[in-house]
């Protein structure tokens, strides 16, 4: 049990729709990172939020956006869904500058785009 | 850019040692990690090594780092069926954000 909770666990969306995924951070953590894991691949970094500001972004288009709230929970929004967006989306909660063993991943949200 | 490569599959017999290998390209990585992912689950941090070390042992796990060759390995002693999973190595880029770059994962199958 990592204390990092993602919701929903699974969902199915239609191409062109929009989706919001949620992540609640572990208590005391101020940084959330989001990753996309396509089937058979390793996770790829989407972006990171630190104290409600985007703090770095991977190679993802602007239709992937995020928010971090004052309680450090976070949302990942994806607009104009494409079939290739089907993946497991993982969030990782940490305290900026903390040692590696203090960063925890949630169980992920499995998104299927049809 | 960063790139992390792993072999796709490894099969070992229960009780034997497993060695999972990884090569990376970013020489500025500060930490290198090993994660375990079981079916339908998120990522579990197994162990990590700081880039100025060449070995780290943690119970059944031994990590070896060859910085010159940019090669990382994870040895699991006395492999058990519960070790069957996908293992990812990852390097951390501490530039703008502390982001992890993962390999494609090695599926470890443990047979009786």
């Amino acid at each position: 049990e990592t204390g990092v909770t993602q919701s929903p666990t699974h969902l199915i969306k239609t191409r062109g729709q929009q989706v919001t995924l949620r992540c609640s951070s572990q208590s005391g953590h101020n940084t959330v990172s989001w990753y996309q894991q396509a089937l058979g691949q390793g996770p790829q970094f989407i972006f990171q939020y630190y104290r409600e500001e985007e703090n770095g972004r991977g190679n993802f288009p602007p239709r992937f956006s995020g928010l971090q709230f004052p309680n450090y929970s976070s949302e990942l929004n994806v607009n104009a869904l494409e079939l290739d967006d089907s993946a497991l989306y993982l969030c990782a909660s940490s305290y900026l500058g903390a040692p590696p063993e203090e960063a925890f991943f949630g169980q992920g949200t499995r998104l299927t785009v049809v | 850019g960063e790139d992390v490569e792993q072999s796709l599959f490894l099969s070992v017999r229960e009780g034997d040692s497993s060695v999972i290998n990884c090569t990376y390209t970013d020489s500025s990585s500060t930490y290198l990690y090993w994660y375990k992912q079981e079916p339908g689950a998120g990522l579990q941090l197994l162990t990590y090594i700081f880039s100025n070390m060449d070995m780290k042992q943690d119970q059944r796990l031994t990590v070896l780092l060859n910085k010159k060759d940019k090669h990382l390995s994870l040895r699991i002693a006395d492999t058990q069926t519960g070790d069957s999973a996908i293992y990812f190595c990852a390097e951390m880029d501490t530039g703008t954000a502390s982001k992890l770059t993962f390999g494609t994962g090695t599926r470890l199958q443990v047979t009786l």
Side-chain angles (χ1 to χ4, degrees):
Chain A
E1 187 73 30
T2 66
V4 180
T5 306
Q6 291 188 243
S7 62
T9 53
H10 297 81
L11 78 163
I12 300 173
K13 289 285 191 177
T14 303
R15 191 171 46 182
Q17 285 188 313
Q18 179 266 343
V19 70
T20 297
L21 311 181
R22 294 179 176 85
C23 173
S24 66
S25 305
Q26 179 148 314
S27 177
H29 285 179
N30 59 14
T31 302
V32 174
S33 303
W34 285 91
Y35 290 82
Q36 180 196 64
Q37 186 179 14
L39 196 63
Q41 301 294 318
Q44 297 217 340
F45 176 75
I46 303 174
F47 43 55
Q48 181 182 84
Y49 277 80
Y50 168 62
R51 291 188 174 179
E52 303 176 57
E53 299 281 332
E54 188 179 287
N55 185 43
R57 188 179 184 94
N59 189 25
F60 280 81
R63 58 190 186 84
F64 285 78
S65 62
L67 283 173
Q68 188 180 30
F69 300 100
N71 67 355
Y72 302 128
S73 66
S74 177
E75 287 182 356
L76 164 66
N77 299 289
V78 187
N79 293 322
L81 283 166
E82 300 176 1
L83 297 179
D84 284 350
D85 296 333
S86 295
L88 180 68
Y89 288 85
L90 296 161
C91 73
S93 160
S94 62
Y95 192 90
L96 201 69
E101 65 267 28
E102 295 182 18
F104 300 104
F105 279 85
Q107 294 300 301
T109 294
R110 170 87 49 200
L111 171 65
T112 302
V113 182
V114 296
Chain B
E2 311 94 351
D3 194 21
V4 180
E5 294 188 357
Q6 300 178 238
S7 53
L8 292 180
F9 183 76
L10 175 66
S11 180
V12 299
R13 295 177 72 92
E14 189 177 41
D16 287 350
S17 292
S18 308
V19 179
I20 302 171
N21 295 301
C22 169
T23 57
Y24 62 97
T25 57
D26 187 358
S27 58
S28 65
S29 298
T30 52
Y31 289 102
L32 294 141
Y33 301 78
W34 285 103
Y35 282 89
K36 177 183 181 183
Q37 187 175 43
E38 294 181 86
L43 294 167
Q44 175 194 352
L45 177 64
L46 284 178
T47 187
Y48 65 93
I49 189 167
F50 193 55
S51 57
N52 67 354
M53 300 168 65
D54 50 23
M55 188 182 93
K56 179 179 180 181
Q57 187 148 4
D58 184 1
Q59 300 182 347
R60 292 191 297 124
L61 305 178
T62 303
V63 179
L64 295 178
L65 174 60
N66 180 329
K67 270 196 90 169
K68 174 175 167 289
D69 294 338
K70 296 188 184 130
H71 183 266
L72 182 73
S73 68
L74 173 69
R75 179 177 180 269
I76 305 172
D78 188 24
T79 312
Q80 302 298 306
T81 54
D83 295 324
S84 293
I86 301 176
Y87 291 79
F88 293 95
C89 69
E91 59 179 352
M92 172 163 279
D93 173 4
T94 55
T96 308
S98 298
K99 68 170 187 172
L100 292 166
T101 299
F102 288 86
T104 51
T106 299
R107 180 178 294 278
L108 174 64
Q109 178 183 65
V110 182
T111 59
L112 297 173

